[in-house]
Structure formats: structure tokens, C-alpha cells
Amino acid sequence: MPKMTVAELEAFYATHFPQLSSFRFKIEEVEDRFIRVRLFHHDLHLRPGGTISGPSLMTLADTAMYSLLLAMIGPVALAVTTSLNINFLRKPAAADVIAQARLLKLGSRLAVGEVTMFSDGDDEPVAHATVTYSIPPRREP
Amino acid sequence: MPKMTVAELEAFYATHFPQLSSFRFKIEEVEDRFIRVRLFHHDLHLRPGGTISGPSLMTLADTAMYSLLLAMIGPVALAVTTSLNINFLRKPAAADVIAQARLLKLGSRLAVGEVTMFSDGDDEPVAHATVTYSIPPRREP
Amino acid sequence: MPKMTVAELEAFYATHFPQLSSFRFKIEEVEDRFIRVRLFHHDLHLRPGGTISGPSLMTLADTAMYSLLLAMIGPVALAVTTSLNINFLRKPAAADVIAQARLLKLGSRLAVGEVTMFSDGDDEPVAHATVTYSIPPRREP
Amino acid sequence: MPKMTVAELEAFYATHFPQLSSFRFKIEEVEDRFIRVRLFHHDLHLRPGGTISGPSLMTLADTAMYSLLLAMIGPVALAVTTSLNINFLRKPAAADVIAQARLLKLGSRLAVGEVTMFSDGDDEPVAHATVTYSIPPRREP
């Protein structure tokens, strides 16, 4: 089960990653090995035509999975993103994007997860990513 | 809905890809945008210690997704694998491997799917892959 | 050989992607199937500790390869990023990042390239990406 | 510099991976962080039309990079493939395939490399892969 709530994740980000506040996202739900994150439809994320940009979707995938990992292991040993693979599937609608992230593996040294992203209200995914993390050895007290 | 049944897929492979028969797999179920394929635990696929080899898992992922794509679009325009990304998650057990493949996008020119692979009887995946295909333009009659 | 110069690429971006100006990068050189792009070390791109963030490196990889593709085919048919795979290799230094992008394939429908990224002045890469694009059919006049 | 020669790698495979002998490949050269491996054009690797199959190219990429890693760290702590990403670029010719593999990172826990594959005698690559490995902690004596 998660070791951190949505409120604890938000407090952690406000303290340690203040620059993330400009990314305009919201963690909506944390469960065992699952998280749902909303990216707000905002000028910052747009390409001409009102479409959410590829880089914003990549950042969303990494942020969602990093948040899930943090929730599961707690803010003890900070994970490092080692790889990200994303497939862009459809042009996003002029709407928020919802990321649903799931851990496929949570080992002591490596974690792997997948993220499916949808335009809010749509059933067909706009992008799908897999992300891997290296978890540093915990420092002994 | 699929345009080909399991029996039609098997007949197609026997005619067009006879060398695949040595791969020792079986298509178990085809549904709309979903397929389940079993890789038999066989010497051919093993690494020392009785573990299914990485190359066998990659071949399984490609074969499962290719079969699903074939089932969905029919044997008209043969798709070409353009990329495959696989994460190896756990050491497979000494057992068959079950691949569950799902299409994330089926466009007129590109298709993208994901495959989750399990040791038979286990809940935790041993590998996860995403595979992309280019679908050639149909030749006019 | 390229169909667009660095100055023409800059003019194209200023007109069609004005929001990219906030990304703080500069195209330094375009050759046949090769481009070099500099990402300026700027607060916008930083994580705590002064490290260039993963999302900034992903955006750099996509921007460099998109610029190379644009230079090679000209601003006729706009390519669409279909996938990006990145491996993060080392913590970037507190310095600009130099991206060297190379086309591996430039077909009529698909393009594939690889991008190696270095901290300015360092020999060991900080990240490596492969990026794929779909090139839409040209509209007949 | 490498800790194992081509002859030592061959002896290692003959002893520990006898089933690889059916894969019909040859390590041609090992240098610092670089290896060249030849996959023989053989019925085993072919698809209808005489083309080398995708699974054979994936196996080649993994085998080449694994051999390079083994050469660089020695047969002490056996690395485990954690991910493989491959882009298929062109239909291979009816010829041997040459893999050129290069390490991008050789850390104490993770290694990452890239492999470019060519039909023998051709300049344009048929496939490009990146492969990552987890290196287990060395057992203390």
C-alpha cells in the first residue's frame, strides 16, 4: 500500500521541487501501485492548434510515475529516471489530459511502470509510455 | 471485431510462415483488439537454469502482436514491424509463458500495441513490450 | 543535402512555433543528415542541485531531431513525432547541453534518428535518444 | 580496455551457453567499449523472401552487447538484460548482418549500449537498438 497520501505528495513537491508548480498538474488519486494525474489544458502545454505538446506528455508520464514511486517507497531514497519510452497515438483534444500510471515492477534496485494518457472524456489513449527508475541503496542510519 | 479466427490464423502461418512452427507457441484466444498466446516451455527457449530466454520473450511479443494485427485487418496488406521496446521484469518460472496483447492504436498507416507476459499461473508479469507496425497502403485491384 | 539553413529554421520556428522561444536553445550547425543544437543552462531547465531536468533533455532530443528532419525535407509536409526512447546516462554538469542528432532512416513515410547529448566540454554522453516520425503524404497541388 | 579476448569469449559461451552455438554468429573484433559481431545468413534466421527475421536481429543486438559487456567486466558478475529497444529501418539484404555495438555507459550497477546493424557490404543500417543491463553487486570473496 502507498506510504504517502496525495496531500503528502503535494507537500513534498512544494518543498523539494518548487519549479514543478508551473507544470499545472494535479495528483487526483493514489492506490496500491496505481496513480491518476491530471494535466490542465493550459497555454503552457499547447502547440499551434490547441494540441497538448509532445514534451508536455513526456513530462506528464515521468511526473505521474515518479509520484507513484514516491508514494510507494516514501521520500527516503530518491529514485532516478533511467529511461522513458513513449508512443504518441492520437492528436490530443483541446482538454485536460488524464494519466493513469501503474507499476509493473517494484524491486529493491529497479522499478518499471507504464502510463496510459487520455484526453479527459475520451476512451482512446493519446499516448502510452513505459518508464524505468534506478532506486539507490538506502543509507544506513 | 477480428476478421480471422484462431483456426484461420493457424492456417495462414502454416502456409506463409512454415518456419514459425519450430517456435512452439499456440494462439489461445482472439477478441476485439486482444489476443492471448502461449509459449510452450521447451528446450528451444531455455537458458541455463531452465529460464525462458530474453530472445524467446521478444519473439513471443512480436508474434503475439503481429497475430493480433493480422486478425484485426485480415491477410490483405502485410504489416511490417517498425519497432519493439521490451522491459524484462522478473526471471520467468520453469513454465509456459502467457502473452496478453492489446492494440492501443489501429490506424490506416500505423498500429501500436502492448504485450504483457506472465509465467503460467503467476500474477506478476515477467516482461512487458510495446510494438509498432507500419501498414502498407492497400493495392488497388 | 539540407533544404533549409540554420537561419531559415530559426525564421520558421519564430513564425510557426513562437512558444518554442522560451525553450532557450540554439541550432548551431546543419549538415547532411546531421544537426547540432545547444540547450542553454538556464533556470527554466534546472532541477534542484543545478542539474538539467529529464524533461528538458527529452524536449531537446525531440527539438533537435525535428529540426533536422525539417531541414532535410523542407517545410512542406510537417512530420509528426510517433515515438521517443531515451536513456539517461549521467547527471548533467552545470553547463549547456549539446545535442548531436543523426538520421538513421529518411523514408517517404517514416524517419528515424538518434540523438546523443553531452554536457558542454564533456566527452561522456549524459543521455541518448532515438526518435521516430511519421511523414504525411504530400498534398498534390 | 577489454578483460577478455575473442577466443576467451568463445570459450565462455561454449561452456556456459552451449545452446547459443545454434545461433550461427561470430565475434569478429573486441576493442575498448566496442565490439563487432557477424550473424551468418542462414536458413535459421530467414523469413520468406530470404530476409533476416526481426527476432534474429533482436537476438543479434542482445548477443553483441552482452558479449561486449562480458568482455569489458569479465565473467565475474553476470549482467542481466533489463530492456531492449529496436527500430527496424530497412529490409535486410540476402547477406550476413554485421552488428557494431558500443557502450554508452558502463556504471557499477547499470550499463547502456547502442547497436547498429548493417547488411554486409551496405552503408545504410538495417536496424538500430539500445540495450540496458543491470550488473549485480559482486560477491565478496
Side-chain angles (χ1 to χ4, degrees):
Chain A
M1 291 304 299
K3 294 182 175 166
M4 294 175 77
T5 63
V6 170
E8 287 165 343
L9 289 168
E10 285 173 350
F12 178 87
Y13 280 142
T15 306
H16 293 90
F17 293 87
Q19 75 279 32
L20 255 188
S21 67
S22 69
F23 184 57
R24 311 296 174 110
F25 73 104
K26 185 176 175 10
I27 300 172
E28 294 198 328
E29 191 185 0
V30 180
E31 292 177 21
D32 187 34
R33 302 168 68 116
F34 173 82
I35 200 167
R36 194 177 67 242
V37 175
R38 174 180 298 264
L39 180 71
F40 293 108
H41 188 257
H42 183 278
D43 281 356
L44 183 81
H45 301 306
L46 300 187
R47 280 279 183 271
T51 277
I52 304 275
S53 74
S56 288
L57 294 175
M58 294 190 277
T59 306
L60 174 61
D62 188 30
T63 304
M65 192 59 73
Y66 186 85
S67 303
L68 174 53
L69 199 48
L70 195 58
M72 294 302 297
I73 64 182
V76 183
L78 294 188
V80 175
T81 310
T82 44
S83 75
L84 184 143
N85 181 257
I86 188 166
N87 283 285
F88 299 102
L89 304 169
R90 287 170 191 84
K91 191 185 279 233
D96 293 354
V97 176
I98 310 296
Q100 299 184 345
R102 218 174 295 274
L103 277 168
L104 293 166
K105 174 188 170 133
L106 178 51
S108 59
R109 304 172 78 216
L110 293 171
V112 181
E114 66 162 329
V115 191
T116 313
M117 288 161 270
F118 303 85
S119 290
D120 194 11
D122 251 341
D123 279 347
E124 301 284 356
V126 297
H128 178 274
T130 50
V131 199
T132 67
Y133 296 86
S134 173
I135 302 171
R138 304 202 175 197
R139 298 196 198 95
E140 300 302 326
Chain B
M1 291 304 300
K3 293 182 177 165
M4 294 175 76
T5 63
V6 171
E8 287 165 344
L9 288 168
E10 284 173 350
F12 178 87
Y13 281 142
T15 306
H16 293 90
F17 294 87
Q19 75 279 37
L20 256 187
S21 67
S22 68
F23 184 57
R24 310 295 173 112
F25 72 104
K26 183 174 176 14
I27 301 172
E28 294 198 328
E29 190 185 0
V30 180
E31 292 177 22
D32 188 34
R33 302 166 68 115
F34 174 83
I35 202 167
R36 195 176 65 241
V37 175
R38 175 180 298 264
L39 181 71
F40 293 107
H41 188 259
H42 184 279
D43 281 358
L44 182 80
H45 300 306
L46 300 188
R47 280 279 181 272
T51 277
I52 304 276
S53 75
S56 287
L57 293 176
M58 295 191 277
T59 306
L60 174 61
D62 188 31
T63 304
M65 191 58 74
Y66 187 85
S67 302
L68 174 53
L69 199 49
L70 195 59
M72 292 302 297
I73 63 181
V76 183
L78 295 186
V80 175
T81 309
T82 44
S83 75
L84 184 144
N85 181 257
I86 189 166
N87 282 284
F88 299 101
L89 304 168
R90 288 171 190 82
K91 192 185 276 233
D96 293 354
V97 176
I98 310 296
Q100 298 183 345
R102 217 175 296 273
L103 275 168
L104 293 166
K105 174 189 172 130
L106 177 51
S108 59
R109 304 172 78 217
L110 293 171
V112 181
E114 64 162 330
V115 190
T116 313
M117 287 159 272
F118 303 86
S119 291
D120 195 12
D122 252 340
D123 278 346
E124 301 283 357
V126 297
H128 177 275
T130 50
V131 199
T132 68
Y133 297 85
S134 174
I135 303 171
R138 304 203 174 197
R139 298 197 198 95
E140 300 301 325
Chain C
M1 292 302 300
K3 293 183 176 166
M4 294 176 78
T5 63
V6 170
E8 286 166 343
L9 289 167
E10 285 173 351
F12 179 88
Y13 281 143
T15 306
H16 293 90
F17 293 87
Q19 74 281 32
L20 256 187
S21 67
S22 68
F23 184 56
R24 311 294 173 111
F25 73 104
K26 183 172 175 18
I27 301 173
E28 293 198 326
E29 191 186 357
V30 180
E31 291 177 23
D32 188 33
R33 302 167 68 116
F34 174 82
I35 201 167
R36 195 176 65 244
V37 175
R38 175 181 297 265
L39 181 71
F40 293 108
H41 188 259
H42 183 280
D43 281 358
L44 183 81
H45 301 305
L46 300 187
R47 279 279 182 272
T51 278
I52 304 275
S53 74
S56 288
L57 294 176
M58 294 190 277
T59 307
L60 174 61
D62 188 30
T63 304
M65 192 57 75
Y66 186 84
S67 302
L68 174 52
L69 199 49
L70 195 58
M72 293 302 296
I73 63 180
V76 183
L78 295 188
V80 176
T81 309
T82 43
S83 74
L84 185 143
N85 181 256
I86 188 166
N87 283 285
F88 299 101
L89 304 169
R90 288 171 189 82
K91 192 185 276 233
D96 293 354
V97 176
I98 310 295
Q100 298 184 344
R102 219 173 295 274
L103 277 169
L104 293 165
K105 175 190 172 130
L106 178 51
S108 60
R109 304 171 79 216
L110 293 171
V112 181
E114 64 162 329
V115 191
T116 315
M117 287 160 272
F118 303 86
S119 291
D120 194 11
D122 251 341
D123 279 346
E124 301 283 358
V126 297
H128 177 275
T130 49
V131 199
T132 68
Y133 297 87
S134 174
I135 302 171
R138 302 196 178 201
R139 296 194 199 96
E140 299 303 325
Chain D
M1 292 303 301
K3 293 182 176 165
M4 294 175 77
T5 63
V6 170
E8 286 166 344
L9 288 167
E10 284 172 350
F12 178 87
Y13 281 142
T15 306
H16 293 90
F17 293 87
Q19 75 280 35
L20 256 187
S21 67
S22 68
F23 185 55
R24 311 295 173 114
F25 73 104
K26 183 176 175 16
I27 300 173
E28 294 199 327
E29 191 185 357
V30 180
E31 292 177 23
D32 187 34
R33 301 167 68 114
F34 174 83
I35 201 166
R36 196 177 64 243
V37 175
R38 175 180 297 266
L39 181 71
F40 293 107
H41 188 259
H42 183 280
D43 281 357
L44 183 80
H45 301 306
L46 300 187
R47 279 280 183 269
T51 277
I52 304 275
S53 75
S56 288
L57 293 176
M58 295 191 278
T59 306
L60 174 61
D62 188 30
T63 304
M65 191 59 74
Y66 187 85
S67 302
L68 174 53
L69 199 50
L70 195 59
M72 292 302 297
I73 63 181
V76 184
L78 294 188
V80 175
T81 309
T82 43
S83 75
L84 185 143
N85 181 257
I86 188 166
N87 283 284
F88 299 101
L89 304 169
R90 287 171 191 81
K91 192 184 278 233
D96 293 354
V97 176
I98 311 295
Q100 299 185 344
R102 216 174 298 273
L103 276 169
L104 294 166
K105 174 189 172 131
L106 177 52
S108 59
R109 305 171 78 217
L110 292 172
V112 181
E114 63 161 331
V115 190
T116 313
M117 287 159 271
F118 302 86
S119 290
D120 194 11
D122 251 340
D123 279 347
E124 302 284 359
V126 297
H128 177 275
T130 49
V131 199
T132 69
Y133 296 86
S134 174
I135 303 171
R138 302 198 179 202
R139 298 195 199 98
E140 300 302 326

